[in-house]
Amino acid sequence: MANNIQAVRGMHDVLPDQTPLWQYAEKIIREVLSSYGYSEIRLPIVEKTELFKRSIGEVTDIVEKEMYTFDDRNGDSLTLRPEGTAGCLRACLEHGLLHNQVHRLWYYGQMYRHERPQKGRYRQFIQLGVETYGMSAPDIDAELILLMDRLWKRLGIRDKVSLQLNSLGTIAERLVYRESLVSYFQQHLEQLDEDSLRRLKTNPLRILDTKNPAMKDVVANAPELMAYLGGESLQHFKAITTILDTIGISYTINTRLVRGLDYYSKTVFEWVTTELGSQGTVCAGGRYDGLIEQLGGKPNHAVGFAMGMERLLALMETLDLPVAPAVDAYLICVGEHAEQQGIYFAETLRNQVAGLKLQIDCVGGSFKSQFKKADKSGATVALILGDDEVSRGEISIKSLRDNQAQQTVSQQAAIQFLQAQTVS
Ligand code: ATP
Ligand code: MG
């Protein structure tokens, strides 16, 4: 078996026994998003490399070392999207959706980053992204948090996640802060690791985002960005916390929360968990008003977040949710006529019984072997079609989940029986 081709490292299959949980989560996500009036947008997985360089920033982990970039046959540099914000904004600018309009959008799909694979960190992963455009008031920042709070509750994992909040202020405020941060770290160079020494020159705020435990102290004593915010930024932040307080959503103000990407301004937030080791951030986002201009649009407002689906699913796996079987009824056909008629009878049943999940045994074989497969399918009833039944227009019904005796009824009665059993 040594020659079997395997999946690419860090890219995983979702097998049939796992898909029901994914579908359950996806269904609830759609319901919650539509209860706030959000619309879906579907975007290409491949974009021009330039888009990510311009939006995410040259000196971020993603652009520096995580992108899957290749030249296509025309020699254009293309990249498998590492995140969705840039592509979503590109699409909205390209189609003129941002002119004097307000949008609440979501997308769902694969993202690609060449990271070291470990639990909760993959090279292909799925994000739910939510982006809003055209709204400057803090209410929309708060709405995104309320939406997620509702989603955690609907998914049954509200007690597994907590909210961290910060404000990054405006670009001007951050520049002043940046200077004092750099001078602080310059006085503690011996405590910085190699990555941070490099970031000190390129993107010093990112040092606060370090995952190196040895740097905990030096980061904890660094100046706080909150102290550098002006009146308007503070007011915006206060308005969000007032809404959260009023509704009763608890949060921690984490003045070290900076997010990995450069384009944020004012609000940043993360929903974190302690249940997934160092991959503790399940959902992260904030306001990124500056990005639209950076990509060539007119100045405008944007707030959004992305949630990692694999991390969400890892939290849900412990819940033991009841999963509906893939099949309600299993049709067994024994005898020459029955085997010929089975596939037509199955179609009749599907035509007559809305929502029926019916599997037919296409392999044949003895009654006993078909019955075993019926049981294994998870169906609640086996329908048995023999040559006698075919000639009399009847069918036998045998319950697979309790001890009720097998009964032979007219095919019309069987349809009524299945209609009564099936919730469509
Ligand atoms: P991290 O700090 O864990 O690397 P990030 O800041 O790079 O996360 P974002 O770019 O903000 O992450 O992406 C939002 C969410 O997408 C993350 O909170 C996480 O749930 C998920 N995510 C990001 N990278 C990966 C990955 N390689 N594998 C699985 N999920 C991921
Ligand atoms: Mg990352």
Side-chain angles (χ1 to χ4, degrees):
M1 299 296 265
N3 285 333
N4 278 3
I5 297 173
Q6 307 210 321
V8 177
R9 190 163 127 82
M11 304 199 183
H12 294 281
D13 305 301
V14 178
L15 299 178
D17 65 335
Q18 302 164 317
T19 46
L21 190 62
W22 280 81
Q23 290 169 350
Y24 172 78
E26 287 159 358
K27 177 172 171 280
I28 292 189
I29 287 170
R30 281 166 198 270
E31 283 173 15
V32 171
L33 285 162
S34 66
S35 76
Y36 287 79
Y38 285 63
S39 310
E40 183 182 4
I41 181 165
R42 298 190 181 191
L43 304 159
I45 287 176
V46 180
E47 297 274 0
K48 292 181 181 157
T49 304
E50 189 55 27
L51 175 70
F52 301 114
K53 288 195 172 168
R54 251 166 77 181
S55 59
I56 299 172
E58 298 264 5
V59 290
T60 53
D61 280 355
I62 293 182
V63 172
E64 274 179 347
K65 48 190 185 193
E66 294 175 359
M67 293 204 305
Y68 279 89
T69 297
F70 61 96
D71 286 343
D72 82 351
R73 287 173 191 274
N74 307 326
D76 297 326
S77 180
L78 304 180
T79 294
L80 300 185
R81 61 182 182 192
E83 53 98 55
T85 299
C88 188
L89 206 42
R90 193 265 315 136
C92 290
L93 284 167
E94 189 171 330
H95 299 285
L97 300 191
L98 297 186
H99 187 63
N100 282 336
Q101 295 173 47
V102 160
H103 286 284
R104 288 175 163 87
L105 304 175
W106 65 272
Y107 50 82
Y108 181 88
Q110 278 81 358
M111 306 293 160
Y112 299 84
R113 296 184 195 177
H114 197 276
E115 306 196 64
R116 193 170 68 78
Q118 50 197 293
K119 189 168 167 51
R121 190 173 297 285
Y122 309 106
R123 291 184 173 170
Q124 174 184 278
F125 58 99
I126 294 184
Q127 276 185 345
L128 165 74
V130 174
E131 317 283 357
T132 70
Y133 303 124
M135 290 169 275
S136 62
D139 302 53
I140 188 66
D141 311 44
E143 177 178 291
L144 292 181
I145 294 171
L146 302 182
L147 185 156
M148 281 312 297
D149 176 72
R150 187 175 297 271
L151 182 62
W152 306 130
K153 285 181 183 146
R154 287 283 314 275
L155 293 171
I157 52 168
R158 183 62 185 88
D159 58 339
K160 295 175 191 278
V161 289
S162 60
L163 174 63
Q164 302 210 340
L165 267 186
N166 193 20
S167 174
L168 298 181
T170 62
I171 291 171
E173 287 154 5
R174 218 154 54 229
L175 273 177
V176 180
Y177 170 68
R178 184 186 155 122
E179 273 174 31
S180 66
L181 191 67
V182 168
S183 90
Y184 166 81
F185 281 130
Q186 267 165 350
Q187 289 157 34
H188 299 88
L189 286 178
E190 71 293 347
Q191 293 180 55
L192 301 188
D193 60 15
E194 204 181 308
D195 251 2
S196 302
L197 285 170
R198 198 168 39 86
R199 283 180 180 148
L200 191 56
K201 296 198 185 72
T202 54
N203 193 349
L205 264 73
R206 285 295 318 281
I207 300 176
L208 301 175
D209 200 27
T210 178
K211 294 189 174 82
N212 181 355
M215 286 183 45
K216 212 170 151 223
D217 285 345
V218 69
V219 164
N221 295 320
E224 293 191 352
L225 178 48
M226 209 45 103
Y228 291 74
L229 299 190
E232 205 225 312
S233 294
L234 283 173
Q235 243 177 19
H236 190 94
F237 190 64
K238 179 86 184 103
I240 296 169
T241 55
T242 303
I243 294 173
L244 299 181
D245 291 338
T246 308
I247 295 197
I249 295 176
S250 58
Y251 53 87
T252 310
I253 297 177
N254 174 1
T255 56
R256 312 288 165 209
L257 187 65
V258 289
R259 306 286 313 115
L261 306 178
D262 274 348
Y263 49 58
Y264 287 96
S265 57
K266 290 186 178 155
T267 322
V268 283
F269 61 85
E270 286 191 358
W271 290 93
V272 297
T273 177
T274 53
E275 298 193 15
L276 300 177
S278 50
Q279 274 55 256
T281 306
V282 190
C283 172
R287 182 170 278 276
Y288 54 95
D289 286 348
L291 182 61
I292 302 184
E293 224 177 332
Q294 203 172 307
L295 286 181
K298 294 209 178 79
N300 204 330
H301 304 281
V303 199
F305 66 76
M307 173 173 65
M309 286 299 292
E310 287 78 6
R311 295 186 194 177
L312 172 75
L313 268 283
L315 289 180
M316 289 177 65
E317 263 160 18
T318 53
L319 291 180
D320 227 4
L321 297 164
V323 173
V327 177
D328 305 321
Y330 192 99
L331 180 59
I332 294 172
C333 306
V334 199
E336 202 188 325
H337 286 139
E339 279 175 25
Q340 276 170 6
Q341 290 305 309
I343 198 155
Y344 305 111
F345 181 57
E347 283 305 296
T348 306
L349 290 178
R350 292 190 190 99
N351 289 340
Q352 302 285 331
V353 185
L356 176 67
K357 294 184 276 183
L358 172 70
Q359 205 171 77
I360 173 171
D361 193 302
C362 286
V363 182
S366 70
F367 172 78
K368 204 173 152 198
S369 82
Q370 292 193 47
F371 194 79
K372 264 194 194 154
K373 286 182 272 176
D375 192 36
K376 226 177 137 193
S377 75
T380 37
V381 290
L383 305 172
I384 304 150
L385 194 64
D387 284 350
D388 285 354
E389 277 93 348
V390 172
S391 62
R392 290 200 294 263
E394 291 178 344
I395 182 103
S396 296
I397 302 177
K398 171 80 181 105
S399 168
L400 294 166
R401 305 294 153 215
D402 57 36
N403 286 330
Q404 275 182 40
Q406 179 173 322
Q407 43 172 329
T408 302
V409 299
S410 73
Q411 294 184 352
Q412 195 50 43
I415 287 170
Q416 280 161 7
F417 169 84
L418 291 169
Q419 281 168 338
Q421 297 249 312
T422 307
V423 201
S424 58

